[in-house]
Amino acid sequence: MNLSFNDLPTAVEGLYSKLESIEKLLAQKNESFNSDELLTVEGAASFLSLAKPTIYGYVHRCEIPFMKKGKKLYFSREDLMGWMESSKVQTSTEVKERAKQGLIDVQKKS
């Protein structure tokens, strides 16, 4: 696209308008993501990128945090994030650092 010097103010104004729209959309997305809304089985499956039968299996084995009201299952987005983070595998550097910290703590007690 070739712009002349005279076209620049209009082009910059258009870019600014589009940027404001993108910022509004990102703010809305962030707001809905950060809120601790309740999710259905479908919502939890989508949020965790798992199949619905997998979610039902976790519920059956009480391996996932959930709430039940009547016959309906609900999941807290915040609880699901915590559940996912609790199964995080530590890197070898993190393991070494924890071991080193443990040795320092033992030496301090002696």
Side-chain angles (χ1 to χ4, degrees), residues 96-109:
K96 288 176 187 175
E97 189 59 38
R98 283 187 62 208
K100 182 178 172 183
Q101 188 60 44
L103 289 174
I104 292 171
D105 291 344
V106 168
Q107 289 174 349
K108 286 181 182 177
K109 291 180 182 178

Side-chain angles (χ1 to χ4, degrees), residues 16-17 25 41 52 58-59 63 69 73 75 81 88:
Y16 183 75
S17 175
L25 288 172
V41 173
K52 283 173 40 177
Y58 285 141
V59 167
E63 294 178 1
K69 184 73 174 171
L73 292 172
F75 303 85
M81 282 300 297
K88 176 187 168 214

Side-chain angles (χ1 to χ4, degrees), residues 16-94:
Y16 183 75
S17 175
K18 288 180 181 180
L19 183 60
E20 281 184 325
S21 298
I22 291 170
E23 286 176 337
K24 285 179 186 176
L25 288 172
L26 286 173
Q28 289 172 352
K29 183 77 171 171
N30 236 2
E31 188 177 292
S32 69
F33 183 76
N34 289 334
S35 67
D36 190 27
E37 64 184 285
L38 292 180
L39 303 171
T40 61
V41 173
E42 292 81 9
S46 174
F47 179 69
L48 297 172
S49 300
L50 297 172
K52 283 173 40 177
T54 303
I55 298 293
Y56 283 119
Y58 285 141
V59 167
H60 178 74
R61 295 185 303 274
C62 294
E63 294 178 1
I64 191 169
F66 68 95
M67 295 163 270
K68 188 171 184 179
K69 184 73 174 171
K71 294 183 178 184
K72 292 272 192 178
L73 292 172
Y74 298 98
F75 303 85
S76 161
R77 185 184 295 268
E78 189 175 306
D79 289 348
L80 291 178
M81 282 300 297
W83 178 71
M84 289 295 291
E85 290 170 1
S86 72
S87 60
K88 176 187 168 214
V89 177
Q90 292 185 338
T91 65
S92 59
T93 305
E94 291 171 328

Side-chain angles (χ1 to χ4, degrees), residues 8-18:
L8 285 178
T10 306
V12 170
E13 185 178 323
L15 285 172
Y16 183 75
S17 175
K18 288 180 181 180

